[in-house]
Amino acid sequence: MNAKELCEGSRANYANFITWVALDRSNLSAGRQLSVNYFIVAVILFFAQLLFGMIAATQFIFPNFLYDWLDFSVNRMVHINAMIVWMLYGFIGCVYWLLEEESGTDIVGLKLGKLAFWVLTGAVTIVVLVYLLIQTGAGKDSSLWLINEGREYIEAPRWADIGIVIVMLIFFYNVVATFSKGKWSGIAGVLTLDLVALAGLYVAGMFYMTNITHEQFWWWWVIHLWVEATWEVLVGVIMAWSLMKLLGVRRQIVTTWLYIEVALMFGSGILGLGHHYFWIGTPEYWLTIGGFFSALEPIPLVAMVVHAMYDAGSHSFKNSNHPAVAWIIAQAFGNFFGAGVWGFMHTLPQINMFTHGTQWSASHGHLAFFGAYATINIAFFYLAIQHWRGDVWMNSDTANAWRWKWALGLLNAGVVGMTVALLIAGYEQSFIERAVEGSTWGGYFSAQNHPSFQSAMVWRWFFGLMTFSGLILLIWDLLTIGKGETRKAQEIVEH
Amino acid sequence: MIEPVALKDFFITFFSAALIIMAGASYALLFAWSKVNTNPRIKIAAYFSYLVLLVAVVLLTKAANFSGYWLTLSGVMVVGYFFAPIGIWYLCVKTHAVSDTQQATLEDK
Amino acid sequence: MNETPLWASESFWKKTAIWVTAGSFLILVVLTFDSLSQTQAGGKRVPAYSVINKKIDYVYQKDLHKSMPVIGETELLFGKEYTEAEAEQLVMLGKKTTQAKNCMNCHTLLGNGAYYAPDLTKAYLDKGWVNKEMREDMMIKFLMDPEKNARTFGSNRKMPNLDITEQEAKGVVAFLKWMSSIDTNGFPYNFKTINAED
Ligand code: HEM
Ligand code: HEM
Ligand SMILES: [Fe+2]
């Protein structure tokens, strides 16, 4: 088969695929068409995330798997970078989705927004290809500018950082200009300020520093103040808006609760940053500040759970999109357990001294990122597909509802299973490597070679596979749910 | 200054820390529930959750070798986790207040 | 009960949110300035780069419940005394190499990174380098060809060959030596250095 045939063959396949999914873009406003572009890329990157996670997890069991070809460092980098980027894509998609309805007008600067989408997607593709094909460079600036910055989560080379900032500015322009042309609201205000903070923090991670204490100081500004402050609030905004639409909660209530959340979240999360400044060379007062403020961090999460139950209860759980609401409930619990419970378990310096930098962090990281941020994005994917299908009926009795239910079950059970396996591994590691053997290299490897660690890695692999199959089912469901559905979505009255 | 957890206290540290947050949440939820359902057992369960929380705070305080100003953290948890759920409940009610009356008028019609 | 009290009103929480956020952020900014100045290379917590000319060790202090760094007499690296500027150059090369080679996605540095390979925070002082006479040579050889000089400690996990040049390897060793002198508030707990007797 020659290249031309291959090309035509794939074009035909693509055409068949499009006919099969039978999605009609004219069901969506222009702004929402841009929004679903972001969702599509998000789902593809989610798939890539789990694929490379599986490879990395395999290497824990069979270290020679793909050795020298796709090393652990490469796979892990793609795993966590794909995660950060797909979640950001999802969030941007959510914002474009609610922008027109919330402002009451058409998007301003849509053309530019579309261009930004393609530029960003092109840049992401190039970055990933360079990660996979070039992988590492020499120890000089040009490597950091062109290949990889070598800093966990924000590895993207500097040229891409700058590109990302430019795209963010365009996105930001779309948001602000649209609200200014239409109308502002409490939700719009919080959203705008939060986006300023989110983008501004990214810039804090764009500088090279030889002094590793300073470098990690700023690195944590990005990572921590993203996931424990600005991202939480962004999710709060998205959640507030969805609760209004899905359950019919009154605007004044969701706005008030959004402010409550901002106060509690920023009040605990900003100085909670201290829990990353225990051991990187920074002064001792961070032990106290980090310990105290991160002990407060679970409170907003508890408040959100109680309030979510209250809202859902007072609306008798009546809603127009069952899969989305199921994922929103998963978010409330996932955020509470992953961030609140798992976070607090290892956050006091007295114990973090031993858990720091072990599989403990990975256990917490998986449950928290999935529970807090994967869930809400998935909820929104369902919301989007419902409208893309023409605002159709999407309750528990839709055709093939088993798919979304099983996808929900497999994904959640898989991540919880991985979390528990990693918890066992982390416990053993903090015990043997850190406490008993005083963190020498020998101690590290005795912990890694321990049977309980090894079997935990096998369990993680199997639960990873469960997660991965959940995702495949989820993608299948997103492509087919509501297809051929003729009933209109259930009406929700605001009260 | 901190005194790191002793090896033998690892488990109790993780366990009591998790218990504080979970008992706190369960107290909060049960407290809210006891307000909408008059069954006295719910209220008892709510206060029982808080009792569990208290015990967990004591265990954590010991296991994590809190002394000096670290003890105020224990105090903050004991007091804060008692009142926060009550506050959250009243916030839920009061922020929804208007909508409840609106609903009542709707139902009257 | 249709009156919303002040403390449950939208405007009250809006103001609270603004003040709490601004207040926390302001405190963070102040602390950031303080922390950055206390951790300037050459200060008490983060030694000058020329510390690579010195002996670095840790002693456990019972009353403080932690190990404290002790910077000792001269103990040259690669048999050469570096000026402050030369030392900084070398450490910088090492730091850039660790970033360009993506060390952090297998190892942890100061406890942050990935968990597939051992922590590098005090790796320069690790007993795994047998003794101080062999250490430098072993480290350079290992970095330049980790596959042949694999030290897997029975785990089968081998570091891949990252095409590190000799100069880069020297930089990395200097960087590791400098990093091992940072006062990390006692992390990792009860770490026994290559100098300690068993
Ligand atoms: C949704 C919110 C959260 C997410 C997504 C999240 C995620 C993460 C991740 C991925 C790490 C590992 C970072 C690394 O690679 O080194 C981490 C570390 C940590 N997190 Fe969270 N986290 C969240 C909330 C919290 C909360 C609320 C607490 C405290 C109550 C907390 C406490 C910690 C601590 C202490 C560490 C440091 C672990 C270490 O010493 O290695 N996190 N978090
Ligand atoms: C197929 C399922 C998955 C597998 C097999 C997997 C595997 C892995 C592996 C092997 C690592 C490296 C840990 C190390 O350095 O030792 C990792 C890190 C990480 N993964 Fe996953 N993962 C999966 C799914 C997920 C999901 C669903 C999320 C979140 C939405 C996630 C978030 C993370 C994060 C945040 C880290 C960095 C943790 C840290 O540095 O502490 N992973 N994963
Ligand atoms: Fe954090």
Side-chain angles (χ1 to χ4, degrees):
Chain A
M1 193 157 62
N2 61 33
K4 200 177 155 214
E5 281 173 43
L6 195 75
C7 194
E8 274 165 9
S10 47
R11 196 171 305 154
N13 278 336
Y14 181 69
N16 285 341
F17 174 76
I18 293 299
T19 335
W20 174 71
V21 288
L23 279 162
D24 182 0
R25 274 190 182 245
S26 64
N27 284 327
L28 299 171
S29 69
R32 290 188 171 177
Q33 292 185 20
L34 177 55
S35 162
V36 296
N37 283 351
Y38 274 100
F39 290 148
I40 291 168
V41 178
V43 172
I44 293 171
L45 287 170
F46 191 4
F47 184 84
Q49 183 206 350
L50 295 201
L51 179 66
F52 282 88
M54 284 308 296
I55 301 178
T58 308
Q59 288 171 326
F60 258 103
I61 307 171
F62 304 108
N64 287 324
F65 182 61
L66 299 180
Y67 176 78
D68 248 355
W69 198 67
L70 270 181
D71 286 311
F72 181 86
S73 48
V74 175
N75 300 317
R76 185 190 198 272
M77 169 168 66
V78 177
H79 176 59
I80 58 178
N81 264 209
M83 172 188 77
I84 299 285
V85 175
W86 86 253
M87 288 178 176
L88 284 173
Y89 263 74
F91 292 147
I92 295 176
C94 292
V95 172
Y96 277 126
W97 185 271
L98 59 81
L99 191 52
E100 290 174 313
E101 207 170 311
E102 185 63 17
S103 64
T105 179
D106 288 343
I107 282 194
V108 179
L110 183 65
K111 271 217 179 93
L112 209 55
K114 275 188 187 156
L115 181 71
F117 166 79
W118 288 108
V119 169
L120 185 62
T121 306
V124 168
T125 314
I126 295 172
V127 168
V128 173
L129 286 177
V130 170
Y131 282 172
L132 292 176
L133 301 175
I134 302 184
Q135 302 184 348
T136 59
K140 46 185 187 204
D141 288 328
S142 58
S143 303
L144 311 185
W145 273 87
L146 301 173
I147 301 172
N148 152 6
E149 230 180 291
R151 299 166 78 202
E152 198 191 2
Y153 302 108
I154 47 176
E155 287 95 344
R158 191 66 41 78
W159 74 265
D161 288 345
I162 294 170
I164 289 168
V165 170
I166 294 172
V167 168
M168 278 297 169
L169 286 175
I170 297 178
F171 168 60
F172 190 68
Y173 160 74
N174 286 151
V175 172
V176 174
T178 308
F179 282 127
S180 302
K181 184 177 155 218
K183 60 176 191 294
W184 285 91
S185 62
I187 291 184
V190 174
L191 172 65
T192 305
L193 292 176
D194 195 57
L195 288 177
V196 175
L198 202 156
L201 285 168
Y202 190 71
V203 179
M206 282 174 52
F207 300 91
Y208 168 80
M209 276 164 236
T210 300
N211 184 341
I212 190 168
T213 297
H214 284 185
E215 187 238 288
Q216 292 206 348
F217 190 93
W218 292 112
W219 177 71
W220 278 119
W221 265 58
V222 188
I223 311 305
H224 172 100
L225 293 180
W226 264 8
V227 300
E228 280 163 71
T230 47
W231 283 30
E232 287 276 8
V233 168
L234 187 55
V235 167
V237 168
I238 295 166
M239 196 73 105
W241 190 84
S242 331
L243 286 178
M244 247 174 10
K245 301 295 151 184
L246 284 169
L247 295 175
V249 185
R250 248 175 348 109
R251 176 176 288 277
Q252 198 202 340
I253 299 176
V254 295
T255 313
T256 310
W257 274 89
L258 185 59
Y259 291 135
I260 296 176
E261 192 185 349
V262 172
L264 296 179
M265 201 64 85
F266 280 170
S268 59
I270 291 180
L271 290 170
L273 175 57
H275 61 213
H276 303 293
Y277 292 163
F278 297 157
W279 325 117
I280 65 166
T282 31
E284 256 181 305
Y285 52 70
W286 287 110
L287 299 177
T288 316
I289 297 171
F292 272 66
F293 280 88
S294 52
L296 300 177
E297 282 187 57
I299 291 179
L301 306 176
V302 173
M304 290 304 124
V305 172
V306 176
H307 179 238
M309 297 300 281
Y310 187 92
D311 260 352
S314 68
H315 294 83
S316 325
F317 288 93
K318 241 192 228 126
N319 68 82
S320 53
N321 186 323
H322 287 200
V325 170
W327 277 102
I328 284 178
I329 294 171
Q331 199 281 341
F333 283 95
N335 201 1
F336 169 72
F337 279 102
V341 178
W342 254 250
F344 186 63
M345 273 201 273
H346 67 155
T347 203
L348 295 173
Q350 288 88 345
I351 191 69
N352 189 261
M353 173 76 105
F354 303 102
T355 58
H356 180 49
T358 65
Q359 295 289 342
W360 243 104
S361 313
S363 176
H364 158 65
H366 277 87
L367 194 59
F369 260 114
F370 178 81
Y373 301 125
T375 47
I376 179 75
N377 271 306
I378 297 172
F380 228 91
F381 297 160
Y382 275 106
L383 202 68
I385 202 74
Q386 179 181 32
H387 286 263
W388 200 348
R389 289 275 175 212
D391 203 11
V392 294
W393 181 264
M394 204 159 276
N395 288 11
S396 295
D397 61 351
T398 53
N400 295 314
W402 68 271
R403 280 182 209 151
W404 72 259
K405 290 175 186 166
W406 273 87
L408 176 79
L410 284 172
L411 274 161
N412 281 290
V415 171
V416 170
M418 284 197 294
T419 304
V420 172
L422 294 173
L423 184 75
I424 293 169
Y427 184 80
E428 185 268 345
Q429 215 186 337
S430 55
F431 213 81
I432 294 187
E433 173 191 344
R434 293 264 187 260
V436 177
E437 302 210 18
S439 302
T440 56
W441 281 33
Y444 172 84
F445 282 108
S446 356
Q448 302 290 308
N449 295 338
H450 196 276
S452 65
F453 187 95
Q454 304 252 319
S455 50
M457 289 299 120
V458 175
W459 282 107
R460 189 264 298 272
W461 194 90
F462 278 107
F463 281 108
L465 196 64
M466 183 189 272
T467 313
F468 200 23
S469 20
L471 176 65
I472 291 169
L473 190 57
L474 177 81
I475 295 175
W476 185 28
D477 190 49
L478 284 170
L479 290 172
T480 53
I481 194 170
K483 199 164 139 182
E485 178 65 68
T486 47
R487 292 169 289 179
K488 277 284 164 195
Q490 183 170 352
E491 289 268 350
I492 295 298
V493 272
E494 185 187 280
H495 64 268
Chain B
M1 196 179 67
I2 60 158
E3 184 182 340
V5 175
L7 192 57
K8 64 172 175 34
D9 293 332
F10 271 33
F11 184 75
I12 197 74
T13 305
F14 296 130
F15 191 77
S16 55
L19 208 57
I20 290 173
I21 308 299
M22 291 197 297
S26 124
Y27 165 50
L29 282 171
L30 288 166
F31 182 86
W33 194 20
S34 76
K35 290 285 180 182
V36 290
N37 187 322
T38 49
N39 189 337
R41 272 187 237 159
I42 300 171
K43 191 143 225 166
I44 295 171
Y47 288 117
F48 179 74
S49 298
Y50 180 72
L51 199 71
V52 171
L53 187 150
L54 264 186
V55 174
V57 171
V58 173
L59 288 177
L60 182 67
T61 303
K62 287 195 168 156
N65 306 313
F66 284 180
S67 64
Y69 59 81
W70 280 98
L71 287 170
T72 53
L73 179 57
S74 309
V76 168
M77 288 194 285
V78 166
V79 178
Y81 277 105
F82 182 78
F83 289 108
I86 302 177
I88 292 169
W89 164 255
Y90 283 107
L91 269 178
C92 281
V93 175
K94 290 297 178 186
T95 51
H96 285 252
V98 185
S99 92
D100 289 344
T101 44
Q102 274 183 346
Q103 192 172 346
T105 45
L106 275 178
E107 274 161 13
D108 286 345
K109 280 179 199 165
Chain C
M1 61 180 241
N2 53 16
E3 261 313 294
T4 311
L6 175 72
W7 52 267
S9 68
E10 189 180 324
S11 66
F12 171 79
W13 279 101
K14 185 175 182 175
K15 285 182 202 129
T16 310
I18 294 172
W19 282 106
V20 166
T21 306
S24 307
F25 188 66
L26 196 71
I27 298 174
L28 178 62
V29 169
V30 172
L31 291 173
T32 294
F33 274 108
D34 182 68
S35 292
L36 290 178
S37 79
Q38 283 201 48
T39 51
Q40 215 72 264
K44 257 226 271 319
R45 307 193 55 90
V46 179
Y49 299 107
S50 56
V51 77
I52 60 173
N53 296 321
K54 297 277 167 58
K55 176 180 172 184
I56 298 157
D57 202 7
Y58 280 82
V59 281
Y60 185 76
Q61 299 213 340
K62 258 208 156 95
D63 52 331
L64 299 177
H65 309 289
K66 64 177 177 183
S67 307
M68 295 288 284
V70 183
I71 312 297
E73 70 273 23
T74 305
E75 188 180 288
L76 297 184
L77 189 62
F78 312 122
K80 174 176 160 47
E81 170 125 26
Y82 293 88
T83 65
E84 183 58 38
E86 286 168 341
E88 178 166 3
Q89 275 301 310
L90 194 60
V91 172
M92 186 193 289
L93 171 65
K95 175 71 168 27
K96 284 183 181 163
T97 305
T98 60
Q99 287 188 225
K101 303 296 179 190
N102 206 0
C103 305
M104 198 184 186
N105 268 309
C106 281
H107 295 273
T108 43
L109 292 91
L110 300 178
N112 295 313
Y115 320 115
Y116 191 68
D119 186 33
L120 299 181
T121 310
K122 315 280 181 206
Y124 180 79
L125 303 173
D126 199 272
K127 279 178 182 298
W129 306 112
V130 188
N131 61 43
K132 291 207 278 195
E133 287 65 45
M134 293 166 68
R135 171 170 55 189
E136 282 166 25
D137 196 43
M138 272 180 90
M139 288 182 97
I140 299 286
K141 284 210 176 101
F142 174 68
L143 286 169
M144 291 177 64
D145 191 351
E147 201 172 347
K148 278 225 189 64
N149 300 293
R151 310 171 43 72
T152 72
F153 295 85
S155 72
N156 285 329
R157 261 184 241 167
K158 280 185 308 218
M159 179 161 146
N161 192 330
L162 298 166
D163 300 319
I164 296 175
T165 65
E166 182 166 0
Q167 195 50 31
E168 285 171 344
K170 282 188 165 175
V172 171
V173 174
F175 167 69
L176 291 175
K177 183 168 184 183
W178 168 73
M179 180 163 66
S180 76
S181 73
I182 295 175
D183 179 355
T184 49
N185 287 335
F187 173 85
Y189 191 71
N190 204 14
F191 177 69
K192 299 263 189 330
T193 69
I194 194 167
N195 301 304
E197 270 127 51
D198 284 299

